[in-house]
Amino acid sequence: MLTDSGKDWLARNAGVNNCFASSGVSYKDLEGNSHTGSTTDVAAMLVVAMLVGETTKEIVNGKSYDDFKSANGGYDIDIEDVGTVYDLQEATTPYCAAVATPTPTPTPTPTPTPTPVPNAEVCAYVESAGKGELTAEHVLAIFYKYKGWDAEAEAKRLAIPADKRPASIPYPASGDQILGVFYYYKGWYEEGDAKIGCGWS
């Protein structure tokens, strides 16, 4: 559930000039690696943090999932709420916080990251299911593998119906590659292509 105060929190901490933004938002994944993307990217990362219980890790503007949940009236964010954020971000007039006082955003410090697999391997992973056929297990399997939770990742892979099941899970993946899989799962093909370029839009 996403409350008005939760939307305001996102606009202030994960927006540009206190408004939802499609680019220019600095955030971190759960490994502490820095990225630049959209308010929707941050909302998706918050969902992932909630799903795996990493609720105290910094995600955006020095703040964690717990900070968001407190501002959101104690309610958790879910995958459907990410769709709401996307719609508000892409509206003719994007959603803005009630108080338009710019919040300084700390300059992220680049963190060395392992070289991820080529995007082509992630494309082969999603194409095992096909456009419009991805499941939540596809998203969780690649995320759990990214976290190093091999047994949990394999359990999610095996939970995928046989006709859609990939032979293996790409590793190591990047945060953007995981978001690409998530966006394809949601049917947001243009955003998914922007992350991993499988040509589904």
Side-chain angles (χ1 to χ4, degrees):
M1 177 176 176
L2 186 59
T3 66
D4 286 344
S5 57
K7 293 173 193 172
D8 285 354
W9 188 96
L10 284 170
R12 294 188 185 110
N13 293 286
V16 174
N17 294 329
N18 286 321
C19 295
F20 286 14
S22 58
S23 62
V25 179
S26 297
Y27 67 98
K28 292 184 178 181
D29 60 30
L30 299 180
E31 297 299 308
N33 303 316
S34 297
H35 303 274
T36 302
S38 66
T39 305
T40 303
D41 289 339
V42 175
M45 192 59 68
L46 287 168
V47 169
V48 171
M50 183 267 295
L51 288 173
V52 301
E54 295 278 8
T55 60
T56 60
K57 293 279 185 73
E58 177 188 347
I59 292 177
V60 65
N61 201 24
K63 300 183 187 299
S64 67
Y65 181 84
D66 282 347
D67 294 317
F68 164 79
K69 184 174 179 178
S70 176
N72 197 44
Y75 295 104
D76 284 310
I77 190 172
D78 61 31
I79 286 176
E80 296 309 316
D81 294 325
V82 179
T84 300
V85 172
Y86 176 78
D87 290 341
L88 292 170
Q89 171 187 298
E90 298 300 318
T92 305
T93 303
Y95 182 88
C96 294
V99 180
T101 304
T103 303
T105 302
T107 303
T109 303
T111 306
T113 59
T115 302
V117 297
N119 283 346
E121 289 192 28
V122 183
C123 291
Y125 174 78
V126 297
E127 285 162 3
S128 66
K131 185 175 178 180
E133 298 296 325
L134 284 173
T135 66
E137 281 73 25
H138 284 90
V139 181
L140 290 172
I142 193 170
F143 179 75
Y144 288 170
K145 187 74 171 179
Y146 163 81
K147 289 291 292 179
W149 302 340
D150 292 347
E152 292 84 351
E154 182 64 6
K156 289 298 179 185
R157 188 186 73 84
L158 292 174
I160 297 169
D163 60 335
K164 301 176 184 177
R165 185 185 303 147
S168 61
I169 305 168
Y171 182 83
S174 68
D176 277 354
Q177 288 171 334
I178 293 167
L179 285 174
V181 175
F182 175 78
Y183 289 163
Y184 284 151
Y185 163 68
K186 291 292 291 180
W188 302 341
Y189 300 121
E190 186 174 335
E191 289 73 17
D193 278 353
K195 295 297 182 186
I196 53 179
C198 300
W200 279 15
S201 61

